[in-house]
Amino acid sequence: MNPMHSHGHPQGPAAIATPKLIRSITMDRCSNFTSGGANGNDVNLLSQLYKARTNSEEYISLLVHSVPDLKRIPFQEAIQQEFRPTRLGEWFGPSWSTHWFHVQLRIPNEFAGEEVHFIWNADNEAILWSMDGAPLQGLTGGAGSDARHDYLLTSRAQGGEVTQFYIEMACNGMFGAGNGLIGPPDPNRFFNLNELDLAVPNKLAWDLLYDYQIILGMAKDLHAESTRAAQALYTANKIINAFRPGDDSTLPLCLAIAADFLKAKNGDAQHEIHALGHCHIDTAWLWPFEETIRKAARSWSSQIGLMDRYPDYKFICSQAQQYEWVRDNYPALWDRIREKNAMGQFLPTGGTWIEMDTNMPNGESLCRQFLLGQRFFEEHFGKRCKVFWLPDSFGYTSQLPQLMRLAGMKYFFTQKLSWNNVNKFPLTTFWWIGLDGSKALIHMAPSETYNAQCTPEELIRTVKNHRDKEYSNTSLLVYGNGDGGGGPLSSMIERLKRMRDVDGLPRVEMSTPTDFYEKIERESPELTTWKGELYFELHRGIYTTHALCKKLNRSCEFLLRDVEMLATFAHIMDPAQFTYPKAEFDVFWKMICLIQFHDVISGSSIEMVYEDCLQMYAKVDSMGKQMREDLLERLMGLDPAATPPTSKKALSIFNTLAWSRTEVIEVPLDEDLPTMKQYSAFGRTGYTLVSNVPPLSVQGCSLEEDLKYEPVKVVTDQKNNIVMENQYIQVTFDKSGHLIGLHDKEERRELIKPDERGNVFRMYEDIPLFWDAWDVEIYHLEKGRVVEEGSVQILEQGPLRAALLVEKRISATSRLRQIVIMTAVSRRIDFETEVDWNENRQFLKVEFAWDIMADTVNYETQYGVVKRPTHYNTSWDSAKFEVVAHKFADLSEYGYGVALLNDCKYGYAAHDNIVRLSLIRSPKAPDSNCDIGHHVFKYAIYPHRGHFLQSDVVREGFNFNVPLLTRVVPRAKLDSLSTGIPRFHIEDAPNVVLDTIKKAEDSNQIIIRLYEAYGGHAKARLVSSLHIKAVHRCNILEDDIELVSSSSKSTQLDRTFSTNLRVLDDDVVELQQQAQQRQQAQGVQLSLTPFQILTLKVAF
Ligand SMILES: [Zn+2]
């Protein structure tokens, strides 16, 4: 019987009396044997999977409660409602509605002794609940590979017993309710309950099916000329010949033929695959956040069931937010998760709050993703994650290796770069070297999916695509249905078990991510490296799509920066009276971090998701601003009740940045304020100059000081161009609003070449190949037009501020209006812009051409800058035709540069001497209304002497985004405003930015986060008005790493030193005080390496 051991037959090989197998015909025959749609499917193996099956109402009775108003209600509330009878074949809807079913079953007597399954399919998602409210298993409808129709009722029925449970049906598919994969949701979809059965599986037939799938897969997907492919096809064919439908006695024979093939083992050097059960649940995407909560329950309860059935089955899942949702909404399931975690089966991974986009969140947001995530996992599961897990995010910032290290992780998993549509990423297992030189061990699953199905084809593909086989003979296979949730099916586990060690396939074992990475680290003596960002060559439109979400992300990030800092100051000043609002901050950060999910902040979700985001942002924004007001009042010792209403008024200016600032600011027109130097064009505000507002502190401004400055001027020249000029620069705008001249007066240098221009608006046709909201494709650059027409008028003529009004019709349906601002004291020109936008797949950008020669542009990233090319030399260079940046992109040559700043945009492009800022897109899927409407944003140009590396562009990026905070205060208060406000600033290192000040998570100490922003070493001093007792360097999880500085014993004020010798005692105290003052003035010495993120824990 055995084709491989036929030499054992004493009579020698038998002569076959049938024609030799023809591969193509045999292959088709073998495929039909397990295909639902094939000819003969009523008598093939699939037709034999159930021994008995009934949908009779004699055994199954069904009641339903349809929840009104698309509400999602908890179990306890649902079961109190009135239920009506319903049955197989009924329709349920509309989209997003919920229907609760009370299911009552009586198992037929003839099923006695058998395993019995309940089968349910309504082409949508559902979860099965026990009568006492424990979620038991998810059910996924439809006919796709993610279908999960079966629920195991009993492994041995008595016959006649009655069972009841509830089913909560959600009227959406695994991928929402749209048409096609990414079409906007159809609000009116209805779902048919088309399968409702009690069934007895034919276990031998199922066993044969799994065996057969592996054998057929090997026949198909191994190299056709290979021995094992030939043997597999021969074996599959032979099984068909042995099989007789309706005669179960042939099944053991078929299984024996299969076993004979599968038992052949591999050689020692075979590739080794670690298989991880996983379920990627997009935290929102084609469905709203609320549905994700239920997706997590459905997916995870199913996995718990599989863990019960397969004790060696392991499942990993990321995103602390989803765990928190399950903890809060499904306590019974939460208990089971913790139980399975203790048994080593249900394993949290990733160490972050959600699987975030890593390009657009600012540095502090990324820190909080790790802080919230790792703390959650540590609190609830007793340990932190070791593997940072981002299979699906759209590109990876060069600061991740440093940040993960600082979050206690050195291993990283993704596979998304396999979607690159220009260059194939050349590495699989390698050291990723970050911007600052930190190293992280990366493996990118060579199967190029995180939703593997456990097929021979995937194992073969894994080996084929592994690009570092010389260095490492092992891979990850991440299996289980995902994106919409689901997770592994029992069929996947069954196939895995069978493929463990089969000659011709790589060896495969169920493993954990940590075991996998530790093994690589242990056993691979050498690995290659990749330096810098992992740029994703696809989905380049996401830096621009859903502009409002991005704008609110930016403003809320800075608002939280302000409030945490001010609250920390309040805490330092009065720890007894002031309660640091940590709980509120946690809520805010969880919302900001949630929206930074990779399909949300990227703009690639459905419209409903952005309605939810808007509500969360509104909460952070309004509560945060109120807190900021209250904190300022508290810090400055203002008591509105104590001020006589008629007293003279003045202004307080609070600077939340860590350097002093001189700016022209806008001031409200309050009757009690002295006269303004200049009134605004619209007459409702005035302008004043404030000079040297100290870092992280307040300055009073009586509005009567006579500060010296050279006024800004604006004139119209003979050619009808408008020329604005201050002490530093002169700029010229043509009559349609283009910048045609920028002259640096100090350098005596013109920055715009003849016949070139800036502030040019360009509209591109923007029709990507498929992923509408995600992609802008390379060919959009070939099809753009300049918006030539426009008008300019002078709005303000100085002395402090000059302003022009530019108006443009962008198209028949969209228009733009902007105010161009130059002040007397800055080289920066601001463009405050409003657009009414109504377009279909158009992309608006603004561009500036400078007379500057540079091969690279400096783009701001988290805690640093990355360089990307200004040319299309290679396919790798041209693939970066649209890139991400934070507050600026800077084009510099020796001696001079110009930065293009923004207050809420993330997409940039550069070619030759032109830098473009991406403004607005108009994709139609999955949100058909995306970005239609009114937009408000600003950008600025900042010409500077010296190369970027010698410039203060980083500070200017902050200045542009973080306005000085002003308040009207009683004049009498001016001198005492800053009394007691703790002061911090950095000296000796203009390349070091003091970014965050917050209270430590677990103590009354203070966290100060700084970074080196330009890519050089720094010796900085942290100077404070407070006496610093000790400074520890810590990681972003706030674990102490080392003591940086502590005040020595002698500088401690200690009156207990001597109680008898009062004179001596006073002397000693005085000496001690002097020493302390010296130390305070000197500050704490800090050394930073290029692009280092330095977190300090400071005790006072
Ligand atoms: Zn995803």
Side-chain angles (χ1 to χ4, degrees):
M1 298 307 295
N2 187 328
M4 287 148 284
H5 301 104
S6 50
H7 58 265
H9 292 264
Q11 345 38 350
I16 36 176
T18 51
K20 179 173 164 59
L21 291 186
I22 297 169
R23 182 176 151 90
S24 59
I25 296 172
T26 310
M27 191 69 83
D28 288 349
R29 181 196 190 198
C30 292
S31 297
N32 285 355
F33 188 55
T34 49
S35 162
N39 190 34
N41 62 4
D42 52 338
V43 286
N44 69 7
L45 178 56
L46 296 189
S47 72
Q48 303 297 303
L49 294 177
Y50 291 96
K51 285 199 236 175
R53 199 163 167 149
T54 176
N55 59 20
S56 165
E57 292 189 1
E58 192 183 332
Y59 303 112
I60 307 172
S61 89
L62 212 54
L63 300 168
V64 67
H65 167 72
S66 296
V67 186
D69 306 325
L70 308 185
K71 284 213 175 78
R72 298 173 176 89
I73 58 173
F75 175 85
Q76 285 306 336
E77 187 183 336
I79 60 171
Q80 308 294 322
Q81 308 301 314
E82 226 170 274
F83 284 68
R84 63 169 176 88
T86 186
R87 56 156 54 98
L88 180 67
E90 271 209 37
W91 291 81
F92 300 91
S95 312
W96 310 118
S97 63
T98 297
H99 306 267
W100 284 83
F101 295 84
H102 182 184
V103 183
Q104 280 176 294
L105 306 172
R106 187 164 60 81
I107 294 181
N109 290 332
E110 56 270 33
F111 289 3
E114 301 282 6
E115 182 173 302
V116 181
H117 289 206
F118 170 72
I119 295 178
W120 171 278
N121 180 11
D123 296 333
N124 55 17
E125 291 197 275
I127 188 167
L128 204 139
W129 292 84
S130 72
M131 294 304 284
D132 58 356
L136 297 176
Q137 189 197 294
L139 294 162
T140 308
S145 58
D146 53 6
R148 193 189 301 268
H149 302 159
D150 278 43
Y151 173 70
L152 172 64
L153 284 173
T154 169
S155 48
R156 196 177 166 81
Q158 290 158 18
E161 67 265 49
V162 171
T163 312
Q164 317 182 53
F165 48 83
Y166 287 95
I167 288 179
E168 178 190 8
M169 172 200 278
C171 283
N172 55 263
M174 194 63 127
F175 294 93
N179 296 315
L181 177 60
I182 59 167
D186 172 355
N188 229 3
R189 268 181 69 182
F190 282 74
F191 296 86
N192 181 242
L193 176 56
N194 56 62
E195 276 183 89
L196 177 64
D197 289 298
L198 289 174
V200 177
N202 184 347
K203 297 190 101 170
L204 291 179
W206 282 99
D207 277 343
L208 180 59
L209 176 66
Y210 300 134
D211 284 358
Y212 188 85
Q213 284 171 335
I214 289 154
I215 297 164
L216 178 64
M218 290 176 70
K220 271 187 183 161
D221 295 307
L222 284 173
H223 199 280
E225 273 77 49
S226 74
T227 312
R228 289 295 278 170
Q231 291 170 349
L233 188 62
Y234 176 86
T235 305
N237 191 61
K238 196 169 173 147
I239 289 171
I240 299 175
N241 288 339
F243 171 83
R244 271 203 308 280
D247 179 357
D248 282 358
S249 71
T250 63
L251 293 174
L253 182 58
C254 295
L255 283 166
I257 298 169
D260 207 15
F261 172 83
L262 292 172
K263 76 181 182 200
K265 298 272 184 283
N266 268 303
D268 290 344
Q270 183 55 275
H271 196 73
E272 194 178 290
I273 293 177
H274 291 235
L276 309 178
H278 178 51
C279 174
H280 184 71
I281 308 179
D282 282 316
T283 301
W285 179 29
L286 301 170
W287 53 88
F289 292 109
E290 266 203 300
E291 194 55 45
T292 309
I293 301 175
R294 301 202 295 191
K295 278 179 179 289
R298 290 192 282 261
S299 307
W300 295 358
S301 57
S302 300
Q303 298 313 311
I304 300 278
L306 289 177
M307 288 170 207
D308 287 340
R309 282 163 68 187
Y310 301 98
D312 54 348
Y313 170 56
K314 294 183 180 77
F315 173 75
I316 56 158
C317 214
S318 59
Q319 314 200 77
Q321 168 71 86
Q322 293 183 9
Y323 286 82
E324 190 183 73
W325 279 335
V326 167
R327 182 196 69 188
D328 294 347
N329 292 281
Y330 301 91
L333 176 58
W334 177 247
D335 288 345
R336 295 234 59 205
I337 289 172
R338 286 164 52 96
E339 173 199 324
K340 291 298 182 190
N341 174 261
M343 293 166 74
Q345 288 186 277
F346 200 114
L347 306 169
T349 191
T352 52
W353 188 243
I354 43 90
E355 285 184 17
M356 69 283 194
D357 176 82
T358 74
N359 283 314
M360 291 175 277
N362 73 3
E364 191 60 30
S365 291
L366 293 184
C367 290
R368 298 309 173 96
Q369 286 285 356
F370 290 111
L371 184 75
L372 287 169
Q374 289 287 43
R375 284 180 75 87
F376 185 93
F377 292 127
E378 190 168 22
E379 182 186 343
H380 295 286
F381 299 100
K383 54 180 157 187
R384 296 173 180 169
C385 302
K386 288 188 174 173
V387 180
F388 179 31
W389 187 263
L390 281 186
D392 192 30
S393 299
F394 311 146
Y396 305 94
T397 170
S398 54
Q399 281 289 23
L400 284 184
Q402 183 178 191
L403 285 164
M404 324 164 20
R405 285 276 183 172
L406 291 171
M409 292 184 280
K410 56 179 171 176
Y411 306 135
F412 180 52
F413 175 79
T414 184
Q415 64 77 51
K416 198 66 185 181
L417 297 199
S418 68
W419 287 40
N420 279 3
N421 72 352
V422 181
N423 298 286
K424 202 95 196 121
F425 194 80
L427 305 173
T428 297
T429 304
F430 57 100
W431 286 109
W432 181 19
I433 317 291
L435 192 60
D436 71 315
S438 294
K439 269 166 61 180
L441 182 59
I442 296 202
H443 174 74
M444 300 191 186
S447 58
E448 303 190 338
T449 179
Y450 48 83
N451 298 331
Q453 303 287 309
C454 300
T455 64
E457 188 276 329
E458 288 162 349
L459 302 197
I460 295 162
R461 188 185 343 145
T462 293
V463 182
K464 182 166 156 266
N465 288 350
H466 196 301
R467 295 184 183 89
D468 296 297
K469 288 191 281 274
E470 312 85 317
Y471 306 108
S472 168
N473 197 25
T474 176
S475 297
L476 278 180
L477 180 78
V478 180
Y479 69 97
N481 294 309
D483 292 328
L489 303 168
S490 60
S491 58
M492 298 175 192
I493 300 172
E494 291 288 350
R495 284 193 293 269
L496 267 187
K497 279 164 51 177
R498 287 164 169 79
M499 293 190 291
R500 217 165 279 203
D501 189 2
V502 176
D503 185 13
L505 293 179
R507 241 185 285 274
V508 57
E509 59 173 308
M510 294 199 227
S511 181
T512 73
T514 309
D515 288 350
F516 169 78
Y517 284 95
E518 283 176 350
K519 185 182 163 77
I520 290 185
E521 220 183 347
R522 216 170 39 238
E523 295 181 2
S524 294
E526 306 176 308
L527 289 175
T528 50
T529 62
W530 179 273
K531 174 78 202 274
E533 73 175 320
L534 295 170
Y535 175 83
F536 183 36
E537 296 179 352
L538 199 72
H539 294 2
R540 303 167 183 90
I542 60 156
Y543 315 135
T544 306
T545 310
H546 264 289
L548 183 58
C549 187
K550 291 170 166 80
K551 184 180 164 80
L552 291 166
N553 176 67
R554 179 77 62 84
S555 63
C556 287
E557 283 179 338
F558 278 117
L559 176 61
L560 291 192
R561 180 185 180 279
D562 279 1
V563 241
E564 283 192 326
M565 178 187 296
L566 298 176
T568 307
F569 291 165
H571 163 78
I572 295 171
M573 284 166 72
D574 194 357
Q577 292 297 314
F578 178 79
T579 311
Y580 186 83
K582 173 166 165 43
E584 285 91 332
F585 290 157
D586 281 349
V587 170
F588 293 166
W589 274 116
K590 283 178 179 179
M591 288 181 185
I592 299 299
C593 287
L594 173 59
I595 298 172
Q596 288 170 348
F597 180 74
H598 60 264
D599 265 314
V600 178
I601 196 169
S602 52
S604 51
S605 281
I606 57 173
E607 192 174 8
M608 294 165 98
V609 173
Y610 296 99
E611 289 162 6
D612 292 342
C613 292
L614 211 57
Q615 283 192 13
M616 286 188 263
Y617 279 136
K619 193 169 172 187
V620 175
D621 184 71
S622 64
M623 288 174 66
K625 281 182 176 152
Q626 187 57 53
M627 283 168 93
R628 189 167 64 184
E629 284 301 296
D630 296 347
L631 284 163
L632 283 173
E633 208 153 82
R634 184 183 186 102
L635 291 172
M636 295 192 267
L638 301 173
D639 181 0
T643 313
T646 52
S647 73
K648 274 186 104 178
K649 300 284 172 63
L651 268 188
S652 67
I653 324 280
F654 206 106
N655 174 13
T656 56
L657 297 179
W659 43 87
S660 74
R661 294 163 75 177
T662 296
E663 290 179 11
V664 172
I665 57 164
E666 202 166 353
V667 177
L669 289 185
D670 185 296
E671 281 177 24
D672 298 321
L673 279 176
T675 317
M676 243 15 82
K677 293 281 178 307
Q678 182 187 339
Y679 291 98
S680 73
F682 304 108
R684 290 188 289 267
T685 54
Y687 303 118
T688 194
L689 175 63
V690 290
S691 180
N692 296 316
V693 185
L696 306 180
S697 192
V698 69
Q699 174 174 291
C701 174
S702 71
L703 295 168
E704 284 160 358
E705 301 95 338
D706 223 3
L707 295 168
K708 290 266 178 294
Y709 66 94
E710 200 175 303
V712 59
K713 285 178 286 203
V714 52
V715 294
T716 305
D717 72 6
Q718 296 102 323
K719 294 179 193 153
N720 267 335
N721 296 321
I722 297 178
V723 182
M724 291 200 282
E725 182 175 353
N726 67 12
Q727 56 181 315
Y728 306 112
I729 54 170
Q730 183 193 65
V731 291
T732 309
F733 286 88
D734 71 13
K735 48 184 180 283
S736 48
H738 301 120
L739 181 69
I740 54 168
L742 192 157
H743 182 76
D744 186 302
K745 290 161 73 173
E746 291 167 311
E747 290 283 302
R748 284 177 293 163
R749 172 169 178 166
E750 176 56 44
L751 269 303
I752 297 184
K753 290 187 223 176
D755 304 324
E756 291 194 335
R757 304 181 292 185
N759 207 37
V760 171
F761 291 93
R762 206 179 271 274
M763 280 280 264
Y764 294 92
E765 183 180 276
D766 180 19
I767 310 175
L769 295 168
F770 175 73
W771 298 97
D772 219 33
W774 291 258
D775 289 347
V776 58
E777 251 325 324
I778 195 160
Y779 49 77
H780 84 287
L781 293 165
E782 300 169 33
K783 202 171 174 188
R785 64 174 175 87
V786 170
V787 181
E788 283 294 346
E789 297 298 300
S791 67
V792 192
Q793 57 190 102
I794 298 171
L795 270 189
E796 292 169 350
Q797 312 203 39
L800 280 172
R801 184 178 127 134
L804 311 178
L805 176 66
V806 175
E807 289 181 290
K808 278 172 181 283
R809 256 172 85 93
I810 305 170
S811 73
T813 48
S814 301
R815 56 191 61 234
L816 173 149
R817 192 183 133 94
Q818 66 179 185
I819 299 177
V820 183
I821 298 158
M822 173 189 263
T823 70
V825 294
S826 172
R827 303 168 149 269
R828 201 178 78 205
I829 309 290
D830 295 359
F831 300 81
E832 296 183 355
T833 310
E834 293 185 40
V835 178
D836 285 312
W837 180 252
N838 187 7
E839 298 294 334
N840 182 0
R841 296 179 173 93
Q842 296 286 310
F843 192 165
L844 181 69
K845 304 186 186 186
V846 67
E847 66 182 38
F848 292 85
W850 303 116
D851 192 1
I852 286 175
M853 165 108 91
D855 289 343
T856 56
V857 172
N858 300 289
Y859 294 96
E860 191 185 31
T861 187
Q862 296 93 350
Y863 305 120
V865 284
V866 290
K867 292 189 188 65
R868 302 191 189 100
T870 56
H871 55 74
Y872 300 142
N873 279 3
T874 68
S875 61
W876 292 86
D877 298 322
S878 39
K880 293 180 180 168
F881 60 84
E882 177 85 13
V883 298
V884 68
H886 283 207
K887 302 186 287 296
F888 64 82
D890 183 278
L891 187 72
S892 280
E893 62 181 23
Y894 172 78
Y896 210 91
V898 185
L900 177 55
L901 311 168
N902 73 80
D903 78 332
C904 61
K905 300 296 174 189
Y906 294 90
Y908 278 91
H911 184 245
D912 198 2
N913 63 332
I914 298 177
V915 181
R916 299 192 178 102
L917 178 65
S918 300
L919 301 176
I920 317 176
R921 296 185 69 218
S922 45
K924 300 300 171 192
D927 174 2
S928 56
N929 298 313
C930 178
D931 282 329
I932 301 305
H934 192 66
H935 293 252
V936 181
F937 54 87
K938 56 180 188 166
Y939 56 90
I941 51 172
Y942 183 63
H944 53 86
R945 300 163 74 181
H947 186 272
F948 166 75
L949 292 174
Q950 271 73 47
S951 76
D952 57 357
V953 167
V954 172
R955 288 184 178 189
E956 202 57 36
F958 275 93
N959 293 343
F960 187 59
N961 278 268
V962 183
L964 292 165
L965 302 171
T966 60
R967 284 179 71 91
V968 177
V969 297
R971 176 77 202 264
K973 266 271 168 197
L974 272 194
D975 294 335
S976 60
L977 281 175
S978 64
T979 324
I981 297 180
R983 299 249 189 137
F984 297 93
H985 69 280
I986 299 293
E987 282 190 10
D988 302 345
N991 54 333
V992 172
V993 175
L994 193 167
D995 191 31
T996 297
I997 297 183
K998 67 183 277 285
K999 195 172 96 57
E1001 295 289 307
D1002 299 317
S1003 74
N1004 277 333
Q1005 298 178 52
I1006 301 307
I1007 298 293
I1008 299 181
R1009 197 160 4 254
L1010 333 115
Y1011 66 98
E1012 196 292 311
Y1014 287 83
H1017 288 80
K1019 289 258 182 278
R1021 285 188 294 128
L1022 172 68
V1023 181
S1024 174
S1025 59
L1026 302 171
H1027 171 62
I1028 294 175
K1029 274 199 203 132
V1031 178
H1032 279 87
R1033 181 166 69 87
C1034 60
N1035 61 17
I1036 59 180
L1037 307 178
E1038 303 183 9
D1039 305 324
D1040 289 349
I1041 296 172
E1042 63 174 356
L1043 183 67
V1044 175
S1045 151
S1046 72
S1047 51
S1048 60
K1049 247 293 178 297
S1050 68
T1051 61
Q1052 301 275 349
L1053 293 181
D1054 187 4
R1055 281 196 178 271
T1056 61
F1057 180 72
S1058 164
T1059 44
N1060 300 328
L1061 305 165
R1062 180 147 299 278
V1063 178
L1064 178 59
D1065 189 33
D1066 284 347
D1067 283 350
V1068 168
V1069 167
E1070 198 183 324
L1071 281 172
Q1072 284 174 346
Q1073 273 169 344
Q1074 284 168 4
Q1076 184 180 312
Q1077 278 158 6
R1078 271 199 306 279
Q1079 194 209 18
Q1080 250 166 265
Q1082 204 173 41
V1084 177
Q1085 292 288 340
L1086 303 169
S1087 293
L1088 287 91
T1089 53
F1091 298 122
Q1092 186 187 355
I1093 306 158
L1094 178 61
T1095 305
L1096 302 175
K1097 198 187 279 176
V1098 183
F1100 300 104

